[in-house]
């Protein structure tokens, strides 16, 4: 008996030892996989910046401030295709079950990045490299002001910009060559968009050098520069403007007016180009991060328009307006009390006042608050006429603030009825909170700190608009109507974007549908419709993302009851930064499940 007992003890010790070694082996394997993935993600981030040097500049990384990738050249596109294919292959060597939860998310996000970008490269988008809203000539124009993300603080900064301008001239020549190819294949812009690009180019194809927009940084030279450096830079910038910038914009303007405009499409939607319907379905996936079809989006948009119209009718009755909803739109557009500003600074001051008004309620909704500074600025004059309000992120190191840009082309016509919802969307707790928290999150690998998915990012910003009453805003019925109008604007986008790009709607039909269902001016609506024409699918992201974030909140609250905490919910949504909506849904469901287990 003693022998058998002793043998049993020995066997038990052996089993326990094997289990311990197996556990140690598993832990070591998991740690090794996590470390190897972290190394791969770091490598990916660093290599990617070489393909996207503007992203580095926007994030405050100055290493590539002297370059502009010729991202529309065949050589660049082939190298980019190899880049994404390489990292997709390397990801396949990892066992996801051995990764931490955060690393699994990073794995899934990088795999999505590789797949969606390889899909984008299968279409000849380089044949339509310019438009009036999205493309590099506008970003370069912002940088040239000396007051944007491109720094002008040292002599090297000034020299970097001269080098980047050289690359921009090459990019412009490539763009013209590609557009000529597009003219032969059917990949061309609609004529209505070409007409909007021409004046943007024409603005910089002439003028007194010292007064030219691209000479602006010279007027901002720091006093600390030596007299010799100031003289050299002034001479170099005079040469750059006179011998490079003005000639290339002259060339571009002439090409657009004399060759490209006559060859432009009369159609509005992308389905008119070769493989356009397939391309639009790809863009739906790119911008919504879902597998929804154009038909599904079109029908969802129409149902949302009906729902929001019913809410608008209630506000119309509340203020005692007699007449139909379309007449109320006109009333709101032209109400003198809503257009009382005479100085652009009053518009900026009004946004600052909105921020002060909501501050007491913010802490009840959020305990994650970014450290990054924040400013409201007027949009630069050169792009103000065709620009929408927008947010530009601050730098990763926090030295450059996040900026909410507001276009004020005519202050006397500026209408404040949607300013509260606009601030919630573009500033706080919309883009400024979401993007800044993502950049400041030390648990994210570098590539995820600057990642952007419209469905998540714009969805969060539109969801933020719905928090107005919870944040002490929308007590004025006209401001609440402004919020409904802003939501209606995004619902209409589902209809008109899918309508133009999938169902053969014309630009004019899309404009008319918008006029019948929202309070924006015809000029503003026209600009918006042309924006959707220039970027098929992008406008879908707002409502699709908002509806998902709102539905996840509703479901979580229903399941958790009194255990639901709005601050924790907002943390769960904000902490991972931009991710595809399916991954966000998984994260929220995991949180609900973990809380539910403890009830």
């Amino acid at each position: 008996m003693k022998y058998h007992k002793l043998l049993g003890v020995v066997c038990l010790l052996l089993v326990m030892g094997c289990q311990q070694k197996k556990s140690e082996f598993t832990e070591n394997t998991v740690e090794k996989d996590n470390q190897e993935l972290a190394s791969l993600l770091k490598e990916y981030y660093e290599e990617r910046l070489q393909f996207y040097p503007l992203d580095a500049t926007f994030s405050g990384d100055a290493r590539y401030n002297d370059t502009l990738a010729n991202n529309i050249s065949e050589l660049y596109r082939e190298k980019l295709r190899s880049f994404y294919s390489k990292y997709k292959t390397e990801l396949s060597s990892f066992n996801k079950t051995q990764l931490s939860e955060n690393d699994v998310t990073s794995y899934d996000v990088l795999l999505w990045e590789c797949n969606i970008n390889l899909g984008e490269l299968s279409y000849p988008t380089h044949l339509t490299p310019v438009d009036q809203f999205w493309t590099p000539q506008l970003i370069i124009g912002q940088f040239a002001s000396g007051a944007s993300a491109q720094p002008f603080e040292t002599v090297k900064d000034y020299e970097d910009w001269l080098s980047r301008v050289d690359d921009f001239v090459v990019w412009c020549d490539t763009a013209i060559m590609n557009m000529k190819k597009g003219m032969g294949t059917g990949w061309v812009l609609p004529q209505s968009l070409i007409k909007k690009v021409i004046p943007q180019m024409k603005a910089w194809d002439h003028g007194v050098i010292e007064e030219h927009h691209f000479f602006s940084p010279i007027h901002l030279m720091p006093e600390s520069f030596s007299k010799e450096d100031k003289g050299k830079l002034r001479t170099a910038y005079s040469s750059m403007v006179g011998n490079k910038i003005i000639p290339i914009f002259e060339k571009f303007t002439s090409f657009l007016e004399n060759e490209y405009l006559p060859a432009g499409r009369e159609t509005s939607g992308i389905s008119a180009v070769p493989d356009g319907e397939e391309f639009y379905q790809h863009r739906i996936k790119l911008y919504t991060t879902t597998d929804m079809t154009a038909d599904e989006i079109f029908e969802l948009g129409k149902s949302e328009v009906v729902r929001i119209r019913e809410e608008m009718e209630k506000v119309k009755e509340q203020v005692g307006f007699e007449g139909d909803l379309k007449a109320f739109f006109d009333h709101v557009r032209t109400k003198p009390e809503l257009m009382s500003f005479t100085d652009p600074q009053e518009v900026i001051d009004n946004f600052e006042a909105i921020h002060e008004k909501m501050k007491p309620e913010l802490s009840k909704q959020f305990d994650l608050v970014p450290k990054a500074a924040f400013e409201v600025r007027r949009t630069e004059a050169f792009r103000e006429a065709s620009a929408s309000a927008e947010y530009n992120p601050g730098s990763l190191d926090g030295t450059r603030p996040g900026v909410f840009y507001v276009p004020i082309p005519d202050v006397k016509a500026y209408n404040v009825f949607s300013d509260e919802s606009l601030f919630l969307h573009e500033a706080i707790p919309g883009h400024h909170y979401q993007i800044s928290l993502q950049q400041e999150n030390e648990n994210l690998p570098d590539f995820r700190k600057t990642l952007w998915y419209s469905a998540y990012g714009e969805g969060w910003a539109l969801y933020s608009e719905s928090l107005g009453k919870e944040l002490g805003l929308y007590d004025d019925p006209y401001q609440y109507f402004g919020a409904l109008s802003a939501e209606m604007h995004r619902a209409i986008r589902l209809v008109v974007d899918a309508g133009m790009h999938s169902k053969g709607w014309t630009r004019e039909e899309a404009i008319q549908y918008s006029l019948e269902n929202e309070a924006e001016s015809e000029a503003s609506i026209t600009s918006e419709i042309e924006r959707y024409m220039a970027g098929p699918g992008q406008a879908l992201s707002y409502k699709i993302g908002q509806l998902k974030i709102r539905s996840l909140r509703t479901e979580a609250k229903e399941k958790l009851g009194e255990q639901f905490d709005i601050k924790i919910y907002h943390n769960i949504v904000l902490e991972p930064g931009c991710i595809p909506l399916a991954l966000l849904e998984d994260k929220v469901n995991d949180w609900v499940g973990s809380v539910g287990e403890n009830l």
Side-chain angles (χ1 to χ4, degrees):
M1 290 293 292
K2 290 181 180 180
Y3 171 78
H4 289 297
K5 286 183 179 180
L6 180 61
L7 181 62
V9 170
V10 170
C11 290
L12 179 61
L13 289 173
L14 286 171
V15 169
M16 291 175 63
C18 289
Q19 288 177 336
Q20 182 177 354
K21 288 185 178 294
K22 182 179 180 181
S23 176
E24 290 174 355
F25 175 79
T26 301
E27 290 177 3
N28 290 337
T29 302
V30 170
E31 182 63 26
K32 181 173 180 292
D33 281 359
N34 287 328
Q35 289 176 352
E36 288 181 355
L37 181 64
S39 178
L40 180 70
L41 298 179
K42 182 68 174 178
E43 179 186 333
Y44 168 82
Y45 175 76
E46 291 294 335
E47 189 174 351
R48 184 185 178 280
L49 290 179
Q50 299 173 41
F51 287 98
Y52 301 95
L54 292 182
D55 286 2
T57 299
F58 274 117
S59 68
D61 184 339
R63 288 177 294 167
Y64 303 98
N65 284 353
D66 60 343
T67 66
L68 179 72
N70 193 2
N71 61 358
I72 53 175
S73 71
E74 293 290 355
L75 179 61
Y76 173 95
R77 286 166 59 83
E78 187 54 43
K79 287 183 177 179
L80 189 63
R81 190 177 287 109
S82 297
F83 166 74
Y84 284 117
S85 296
K86 178 183 75 172
Y87 282 96
K88 181 178 179 180
T89 299
E90 293 196 23
L91 277 176
S92 65
S93 67
F94 287 88
N95 181 352
K96 285 177 63 176
T97 62
Q98 302 289 352
L99 300 175
S100 68
E101 180 182 348
N102 191 44
D103 282 343
V104 167
T105 301
S106 294
Y107 177 104
D108 289 338
V109 169
L110 182 54
L111 183 60
W112 172 274
E113 277 291 287
C114 292
N115 286 331
I116 203 70
N117 281 287
L118 287 169
E120 181 79 3
L121 286 164
S122 67
Y123 298 97
T125 55
H126 60 303
L127 301 183
T128 51
V130 299
D131 60 56
Q132 84 290 0
F133 196 88
W134 301 102
T135 47
Q137 83 277 7
L138 299 172
I139 299 173
I140 293 300
Q142 278 187 281
F143 285 5
S145 69
S148 186
Q150 181 89 21
F152 290 93
E153 298 171 359
T154 68
V155 172
K156 186 180 184 304
D157 288 341
Y158 277 76
E159 293 170 345
D160 283 347
W161 178 240
L162 289 171
S163 179
R164 179 164 269 177
V165 167
D166 286 343
D167 287 349
F168 175 63
V169 172
V170 173
W171 186 91
C172 288
D173 278 327
T174 306
I176 293 171
M177 179 181 69
N178 285 357
M179 292 163 81
K180 289 181 178 179
K181 291 180 182 178
M183 289 161 58
T185 64
W187 269 81
V188 293
L189 288 181
Q191 288 184 340
S192 57
L193 301 192
I194 301 170
K195 291 176 182 177
K196 293 298 173 68
V197 178
I198 289 173
Q200 292 177 344
M201 299 291 189
K202 192 182 284 288
W204 295 328
D205 71 358
H206 64 283
V208 178
I209 288 178
E210 290 76 11
E211 298 175 1
H212 196 280
H213 179 73
F214 276 71
F215 196 75
S216 298
I218 294 300
H219 302 307
L220 303 173
M221 277 194 293
E223 289 297 325
S224 59
F225 285 11
S226 69
K227 184 177 180 180
E228 181 182 5
D229 284 334
K230 288 181 179 179
K232 286 181 179 179
L233 290 174
R234 178 175 288 273
T235 299
Y237 274 64
S238 294
S239 176
M240 175 264 287
V241 174
N243 298 324
K244 296 173 183 178
I245 287 298
I246 289 178
I248 195 61
F249 279 110
E250 282 182 327
K251 180 179 180 180
F252 223 137
T253 300
S254 176
F255 166 71
L256 290 171
E257 289 181 327
N258 300 319
E259 298 181 53
Y260 200 61
L261 181 59
R265 288 191 283 120
E266 294 183 1
T267 52
S268 302
I270 200 65
S271 59
V273 307
D275 298 320
E277 291 186 14
E278 181 183 305
F279 176 63
Y280 184 55
Q281 188 59 51
H282 158 75
R283 281 297 179 98
I284 291 175
K285 186 169 187 175
L286 171 67
Y287 286 117
T288 70
T289 66
T290 73
D291 292 319
M292 294 182 73
T293 66
D295 286 343
E296 289 172 335
I297 287 171
F298 186 76
E299 294 302 322
L300 175 62
K302 289 196 296 183
S303 66
E304 281 293 284
V305 167
V306 170
R307 179 185 65 79
I308 298 167
R309 280 185 70 98
E310 292 174 354
E311 283 296 304
M312 287 179 158
E313 290 283 358
K314 296 176 183 177
V315 177
K316 178 175 71 73
E317 294 173 6
Q318 179 184 353
V319 300
F321 181 84
E322 295 181 2
D324 61 16
L325 195 56
K326 192 171 183 180
F328 189 57
F329 291 156
D330 290 332
H331 166 71
V332 173
R333 290 188 191 108
T334 58
K335 187 176 174 62
E337 292 86 349
L338 298 174
M339 296 184 290
S340 60
F341 295 144
T342 58
D343 186 319
Q345 185 58 43
E346 293 177 288
V347 177
I348 306 301
D349 292 343
N350 186 53
F351 283 112
E352 300 288 2
I354 291 170
H355 188 197
E356 289 300 317
K357 182 178 179 180
M358 62 191 283
K359 278 182 178 179
E361 303 300 321
L362 276 170
S363 61
K364 299 177 183 178
Q365 295 280 326
F366 298 92
D367 56 18
L368 274 180
V369 179
K371 302 172 185 174
F374 166 77
E375 294 179 10
V376 184
R377 295 181 191 170
R378 182 180 180 180
T379 303
E380 304 96 333
F382 78 89
R383 65 189 186 96
E384 191 171 37
S386 59
S388 300
E390 63 181 350
Y391 175 78
N392 278 7
S395 58
L396 281 173
D397 64 5
T399 58
R400 190 184 72 248
V403 179
F404 169 31
Y405 282 102
V406 185
I408 317 170
D410 181 0
V411 68
K412 292 183 179 179
Y414 187 92
N415 195 312
V416 301
F417 82 99
S418 62
D419 274 10
E420 288 187 351
S421 62
L422 183 61
F423 186 84
L424 291 170
H425 181 110
E426 299 292 347
I428 297 171
H431 288 323
H432 181 62
Y433 265 30
Q434 185 269 306
I435 295 174
S436 298
L437 288 169
Q438 178 175 336
Q439 291 179 337
E440 295 168 8
N441 189 341
E442 294 300 323
N443 293 322
L444 299 182
D446 288 341
F447 92 98
R448 285 177 60 191
K449 290 182 180 181
T450 57
L451 200 59
W452 179 254
Y453 294 119
S454 281
Y456 174 100
E458 298 295 358
W460 169 262
L462 185 54
Y463 165 79
S464 295
E465 293 184 35
S466 73
L467 301 178
K469 290 187 177 181
E470 295 170 81
L471 292 173
L473 303 179
Y474 301 163
D475 48 3
D476 177 350
Y478 284 100
Q479 287 296 325
Y480 180 55
F481 187 79
L484 291 173
S485 297
E487 187 178 15
M488 174 67 88
H489 186 58
R490 279 42 171 259
I492 287 170
R493 285 175 170 176
L494 302 183
V495 180
V496 298
D497 197 89
M500 287 191 295
H501 295 301
S502 177
K503 296 185 174 297
W505 280 29
T506 65
R507 166 181 173 273
E508 290 69 30
E509 286 175 315
I511 291 171
Q512 186 57 39
Y513 182 86
S514 299
L515 284 171
E516 291 172 356
N517 289 288
E518 64 176 328
E520 294 291 320
S521 68
E522 184 170 357
S524 175
I525 285 171
T526 299
S527 178
E528 284 289 295
I529 295 300
E530 290 173 344
R531 166 188 167 176
Y532 314 150
M533 292 166 62
Q538 191 276 338
L540 307 175
S541 54
Y542 301 72
K543 204 75 179 75
I544 300 301
Q546 177 231 19
L547 289 173
K548 174 56 70 175
I549 294 171
R550 175 56 67 176
S551 69
L552 290 174
R553 170 177 166 169
T554 299
E555 291 167 10
K557 192 170 184 178
E558 289 175 351
K559 291 177 181 177
L560 298 180
E562 293 181 357
Q563 297 300 312
F564 178 81
D565 186 325
I566 188 60
K567 288 189 287 188
I568 296 178
Y569 175 73
H570 287 156
N571 290 348
I572 295 295
V573 174
L574 288 169
E575 281 175 338
C578 273
I579 54 177
L581 294 180
L583 298 183
L584 177 64
E585 184 170 6
D586 289 343
K587 287 196 170 295
V588 173
N589 288 340
D590 288 346
W591 167 63
V592 171
S594 66
V595 175
E597 289 176 359
N598 297 321
L599 292 180

